[in-house]
Amino acid sequence: MVINLKSEVANLKLSPVRVAVDTGGTFTDCVWVEEGELRTLKVFSTPGDPSVAIEQAVRKAVGERDFILLHGTTVGTNALLERKGARVALITTAGFEDAIEIGRQARPKLYDFFADRPEPLAAAGMRFGVRERIAADGSVVEALTDEEIERVIDLVDRSGAEAVAVSLLFSFANPEHEKRLEEAFRNRDRNVWATVPPAASPSCESFFTTFSYRLLPEFREYERMSTVVMNAYLQPLMGRYLGGLQGRMGASAKARGREVLRCAQDDKAREVRSGRIFVMQSSGGISALQTVLREPVRTVLSGPAGGVVGARAMARTSGFEKAISFDMGGTSTDVALIEGTLRTTNEGEIIGLPVRVPMLDIHTLGAGGGSIARFDAAGALRVGPQSAGAEPGPICYGKGMQPTVTDANLLLGRLRADCFLGGEFVLDLERTRRITREWLKQQGSRWRLEEFAEGILRVVNASMEKAIRAVSVERGHDPREFTLVAFGGAGALHAGELAQALQIPRVLVPQSAGALSAYGILVSDVVKEFSRTVMLRAEMASEGRVRAAAAAIKELALSSFADEGYATHRVKVIASLDLRYRGQGFELNVRFARGAMRSAVAEFHREHKRRYGYADEGREVEVVNVRVRATLETRLPTMRGRRPAAAGAIKMIDAYFRGKTLRTKLIERESMAVGQCVKGPAVITEYSATTVVPVGASAELDGAGGIVVSC
C-alpha cells in the first residue's frame, strides 16, 4: 500500500489529517484527531531505521488519506551520543584553530586532574586557519584575499570532509569574510546546491556548509564555534534520514531526496509541499523540513520538547498554570518547570559540548522503564543509565535477560500483564519471575523477588526526585506550589510516590499520557528564532539602536516565513533582550515589550533578585543580545469533551506497597466517571499508560478527562 500525497491541499476533497509522531527508545507514538476525538497508536521503535516504525504507525493511523506529518526525532541526539555524524572540516581565523579544543577554563570536576574532556567534533587534522581578521567593532584588520580563499577550499577538498563549518573571529560584528567564503563554496562544481546525492546514498558526495553569521551571529567564540560545528556534523545524517523518511511517505527516495535537500540549502527556495513534513525543534515549536535540513542542531531535544508543550497544554485545560512536567519513557526521564510560559535557555549542553541555539529548559536523566538494574562492586543496587531499549527490551517483553524498572512494576502487581497496550500485547509475568530469580542467584543475592523489585523502584525514584528538585528547589521555586504533570509510558506509575516525597499536592495524568509528547508536537506552533549581539549600554540614548536591531531581526523572521509560503500577517513576533550588569559574564533574558528600555531594565532587576537573591539598581546595565521569537499559531480541529459515563466497576487485586502485599483497586480509565473518586492503593489502566495511586492518596477524573491524584 502506498500513501497518496497530493501536491496542494486545495485539490483534496478532504482536509489533510495532522499526524504527530514521536520516536522514543522503546515505542514510537502516533496521535491524530479524528471525528473530534484524540486517537493514539503505539508501535515498537525500529532503532536501525526509525522511519520504518513511523511508516507503520502512519499507515495504520490514516490509511490512504492525505496527511501532514509532524515529527519529533531523536536521530540527531543519538548521532551525537554515539558520535556517528559526518566528517567535519572547520574553517576559522588563523591562529584560532584549536579554540574549539581549548574551550573554557571551567572544569566539570574541579579537583580531578585526570578527568577526560569530550573530544571536539572537528578533529585536529580537520581544522584549517584562514588569514583574515575582523576586529571586535567590526572593522577589517586584515582583508581576506582570493588566493587565501582558494587555498583553504583546496585544503578542505583534499581532507575528505563531508560537511564544512565556518566560524571566523567576530563575524557576528561583520560577516563580510564569511559571506565571501560562502559565495566561493556556492560557485564550486562540487557543492550541495548543484549536486546532492540521493537520500538513500550511504555517503555524501559533496559537503554541506554551515556559516556562523547565519546560524548564530552572537559573541563568545568557543560556544559559537561549537554550535556551528555540531550543526555541520549533523547535516548529512539528518539529510539522509529525512530524505529517506520523505521517500517512505510516498515519494521516490532518489528523486524526492534530491529535491528536498537541494531546496533546503537554497535560501530563496519555497517550501517543498509534496511531502509536508514538519519537525519539532528543541525550542518548543515545529519547523518546515527545509529549515531543519539547513539547521539540524535545533532538533537535538526534539522529542522531550514535545512533551513539555503537551504538558503545558493539558495542565491549562485542567486549570493549572504552574506545573512540573514529568516525562518518563523507556530510556530516559525529562523534567521541566512550567510557569505560565515555556522556559527556554540559550546555554544548553549536549555530550559535554555547548550548543547555543534556543531550547526548552529540560533536565534529563538516564532513568526509564527500560533502565537496567545491577549491583555495583560494593554490592549496592544501581539502576540505569543503561537501558534495554526496544531490542531486546525488558524481560517481560519476551527477549530481555536483565531486570528493568518495567519488570519491577510488573512483579509488584502495579503493571498488569493483560492490560498493556489495551491487551494487544501481553506481558510475560512467569518469564519475568523465573529469569529474575535466576539472575539474583547469579549475583549471589538473597533478596526476595518483591523486595528486590521494590528496591529498584526506590533507587530510580530517588534519581527522579533529585531531577525534580534540580528544576524547582535549586532555582528558587517551591514544588508545593506546583502540579506534577505525569506522562510517558512509565510516568504515572511513579509520579504519585514522587509527589508524596516532595510534598507536591497533586499529580495530573492527562488523557493519552503515554503519547503526550506526540500530542505536544501535534499542538505546537510553527516557530522561528533569530538573535544578534549588539553590546550596548542599556540607557535611553541606546534605545533607538536596540529598537532598530530588533526591527531588522523581525524583518528577517517575517521574510523567512514568507519564503516558506506562510501569510505573515498571522505571525506573532516577540522581542527580548539579554541583559547583564556591566562586568558580569552571564546574562538574563527579559521581554522588550513595545521597545521600552526602561521597563526591560526594571524587569531585569526583578529577575536578578529572584534568581540570585539581590539586585543593584544603581549599577550600569548592558544589552548583550537582541532576540526575536516569531510564532505562527497552529489551527487545530475541534475536539469533543469527555462523554458522560456512569461509575465503572472496580476489581480487587493484590499489589505490593511499602513492604507488604495489599488489596488494591483496579479500574479502567475509560470506565471512570467525571468526579468519581478512587482511594489508594489503586491501579488505573488505559491503552498507553498505567496510573498508580499510592497508599494515602486518592484519584479523581476531572471535566477535561485528566486524572488528578491528590497526595
Side-chain angles (χ1 to χ4, degrees):
M1 177 175 66
V2 178
I3 296 174
N4 183 25
L5 293 177
K6 301 295 185 181
S7 298
E8 297 293 337
V9 174
N11 294 331
L12 300 175
K13 295 181 180 179
L14 297 174
S15 298
V17 181
R18 287 173 60 91
V19 181
V21 175
D22 175 45
T23 302
T26 306
F27 287 100
T28 293
D29 301 332
C30 178
V31 301
W32 71 102
V33 175
E34 188 169 329
E35 297 179 354
E37 293 186 1
L38 183 67
R39 304 292 179 88
T40 302
L41 176 67
K42 295 175 81 74
V43 300
F44 282 103
S45 296
T46 50
D49 183 358
S51 66
V52 174
I54 295 172
E55 181 186 20
Q56 293 172 357
V58 172
R59 288 187 176 185
K60 286 182 180 180
V62 302
E64 296 283 353
R65 290 173 294 174
D66 190 36
F67 63 89
I68 297 173
L69 176 62
L70 313 175
H71 180 28
T73 177
T74 57
V75 170
T77 311
N78 292 340
L80 290 170
L81 293 174
E82 299 170 11
R83 288 188 170 258
K84 292 183 178 179
R87 182 177 171 84
V88 179
L90 169 64
I91 299 176
T92 187
T93 303
F96 290 83
E97 296 91 339
D98 295 329
I100 194 171
E101 186 160 358
I102 296 170
R104 292 291 177 188
Q105 185 178 12
R107 298 196 303 269
K109 296 180 180 179
L110 188 61
Y111 299 107
D112 186 354
F113 295 105
F114 303 100
D116 292 328
R117 300 184 61 177
E119 290 291 328
L121 298 178
M126 299 293 291
R127 304 196 286 259
F128 307 106
V130 59
R131 289 188 290 274
E132 61 83 41
R133 190 63 179 264
I134 299 291
D137 61 0
S139 60
V140 178
V141 176
E142 181 178 358
L144 177 63
T145 65
D146 292 339
E147 293 77 16
E148 192 64 8
I149 292 174
E150 286 300 316
R151 183 188 69 82
V152 75
I153 290 182
D154 184 60
L155 289 174
V156 171
D157 262 344
R158 291 189 279 111
S159 71
E162 298 172 288
V164 180
V166 180
S167 183
L168 302 182
L169 198 64
F170 296 116
S171 62
F172 64 88
N174 181 355
E176 176 188 342
H177 291 173
E178 282 199 8
K179 286 182 176 180
R180 289 188 59 199
L181 281 168
E182 182 180 32
E183 187 64 25
F185 275 109
R186 192 190 299 269
N187 290 335
R188 294 182 64 80
D189 292 334
R190 287 197 323 111
N191 64 69
V192 75
W193 291 272
T195 306
V196 177
S201 172
S203 63
C204 286
E205 296 169 2
S206 334
F207 33 69
F208 293 74
T209 51
T210 301
F211 295 86
S212 71
Y213 88 94
R214 287 188 178 274
L215 179 67
L216 191 66
E218 296 182 18
F219 85 132
R220 292 195 172 101
E221 299 300 329
Y222 167 59
E223 288 79 4
R224 176 162 57 94
M225 189 181 294
S226 173
T227 306
V228 171
V229 170
M230 192 177 294
N231 191 75
Y233 185 77
L234 295 175
Q235 271 186 312
L237 176 70
M238 288 293 285
R240 290 192 294 271
Y241 167 67
L242 291 174
L245 178 62
Q246 182 89 352
R248 283 190 177 276
M249 292 297 102
S252 161
K254 183 175 182 180
R256 182 59 57 202
R258 287 179 180 273
E259 179 186 356
V260 172
L261 294 176
R262 174 170 48 78
C263 291
Q265 295 289 349
D266 187 350
D267 297 323
K268 297 182 180 180
R270 303 182 76 81
E271 182 182 1
V272 180
R273 294 188 175 277
S274 54
R276 285 167 295 142
I277 296 176
F278 294 81
V279 181
M280 188 69 181
Q281 301 178 97
S282 306
S283 60
I286 58 174
S287 184
L289 184 65
Q290 79 247 36
T291 302
V292 173
L293 287 164
R294 190 168 56 240
E295 300 178 353
V297 72
R298 296 185 184 272
T299 69
V300 292
L301 288 181
S302 176
V308 178
V309 174
R312 179 197 181 205
M314 288 297 190
R316 282 186 165 182
T317 302
S318 292
F320 306 118
E321 283 293 321
K322 300 176 72 172
I324 298 173
S325 69
F326 173 63
D327 178 8
M328 184 177 178
T331 305
S332 62
T333 294
D334 305 299
V335 295
L337 191 86
I338 303 169
E339 196 171 18
T341 59
L342 297 177
R343 292 173 172 268
T344 60
T345 179
N346 295 283
E347 299 180 355
E349 188 176 278
I350 303 292
I351 62 168
L353 301 174
V355 52
R356 289 300 183 260
V357 294
M359 56 179 61
L360 293 181
D361 195 359
I362 301 172
H363 186 92
T364 301
L365 69 155
S371 294
I372 297 172
R374 70 187 191 283
F375 292 104
D376 65 15
L381 178 61
R382 305 289 184 184
V383 181
Q386 295 81 9
S387 173
E391 289 288 343
I395 297 172
C396 58
Y397 287 6
K399 295 182 181 179
M401 297 298 293
Q402 293 178 280
T404 66
V405 174
T406 296
D407 297 315
N409 277 300
L410 180 64
L411 291 170
L412 295 174
R414 304 182 183 192
L415 193 62
R416 307 306 298 172
D418 55 352
C419 298
F420 196 71
L421 295 182
E424 293 180 5
F425 184 83
V426 179
L427 302 178
D428 195 334
L429 177 58
E430 290 306 316
R431 182 178 192 271
T432 306
R433 285 174 174 162
R434 175 173 51 83
I435 292 180
T436 304
R437 283 196 181 101
E438 293 173 356
W439 185 86
L440 285 171
K441 288 180 181 178
Q442 293 172 3
Q443 304 301 313
S445 173
R446 296 183 179 180
W447 280 17
R448 290 192 301 111
L449 206 57
E450 290 78 9
E451 290 176 340
F452 172 65
E454 191 170 40
I456 291 176
L457 298 195
R458 286 180 178 175
V459 171
V460 77
N461 282 355
S463 298
M464 295 186 293
E465 181 183 335
K466 184 179 179 181
I468 294 173
R469 290 184 183 276
V471 300
S472 57
V473 177
E474 293 180 14
R475 299 182 184 181
H477 298 278
D478 187 346
R480 294 173 294 184
E481 299 175 358
F482 290 79
T483 298
L484 188 63
V485 183
F487 56 101
L493 284 165
H494 297 257
E497 291 182 343
L498 285 171
Q500 288 179 331
L502 291 162
Q503 299 181 43
I504 297 174
R506 73 190 67 83
V507 174
L508 172 65
V509 183
Q511 56 179 319
S512 300
L516 193 70
S517 291
Y519 173 77
I521 296 168
L522 183 72
V523 301
S524 291
D525 301 323
V526 181
V527 175
K528 295 182 180 294
E529 298 189 78
F530 298 87
S531 61
R532 183 175 301 168
T533 294
V534 292
M535 288 295 185
L536 295 169
R537 294 182 177 180
E539 53 190 15
M540 300 307 295
S542 302
E543 187 173 80
R545 295 175 64 183
V546 175
R547 282 183 181 177
I553 302 174
K554 176 182 176 180
E555 191 63 32
L556 179 63
L558 294 177
S559 175
S560 179
F561 273 102
D563 285 345
E564 294 179 4
Y566 295 109
T568 57
H569 69 274
R570 291 181 51 214
V571 177
K572 180 181 179 181
V573 179
I574 297 176
S576 63
L577 306 177
D578 287 348
L579 301 181
R580 67 183 182 185
Y581 291 123
R582 191 169 181 82
Q584 282 184 329
F586 56 89
E587 302 82 43
L588 293 175
N589 183 259
V590 298
R591 286 281 298 273
F592 190 41
R594 296 182 297 278
M597 183 69 73
R598 183 172 298 171
S599 61
V601 171
E603 175 62 23
F604 166 74
H605 289 309
R606 287 193 294 270
E607 178 63 14
H608 199 282
K609 186 172 184 178
R610 190 198 66 79
R611 182 79 66 89
Y612 302 110
Y614 76 97
D616 187 352
E617 297 187 10
R619 190 171 173 182
E620 185 178 351
V621 177
E622 188 175 34
V623 182
V624 178
N625 300 310
V626 179
R627 301 188 184 278
V628 161
R629 182 180 174 96
T631 304
L632 181 66
E633 291 188 359
T634 295
R635 293 174 177 173
L636 295 175
T638 303
M639 287 171 38
R640 290 200 298 264
R642 182 177 176 87
R643 297 170 181 172
I650 296 177
K651 299 178 182 179
M652 298 303 294
I653 60 171
D654 289 333
Y656 200 83
F657 289 91
R658 299 182 180 179
K660 55 186 176 181
T661 301
L662 300 176
R663 294 297 286 169
T664 302
K665 302 177 183 68
L666 175 66
I667 186 172
E668 293 182 3
R669 181 173 184 151
E670 286 299 315
S671 68
M672 289 181 68
V674 174
Q676 180 182 359
C677 182
V678 179
K679 294 185 177 180
V683 174
I684 304 172
T685 64
E686 59 180 298
Y687 172 77
S688 64
T690 297
T691 301
V692 170
V693 184
V695 178
S698 62
E700 183 176 323
L701 192 71
D702 67 13
I707 297 174
V708 180
V709 180
S710 299
C711 301

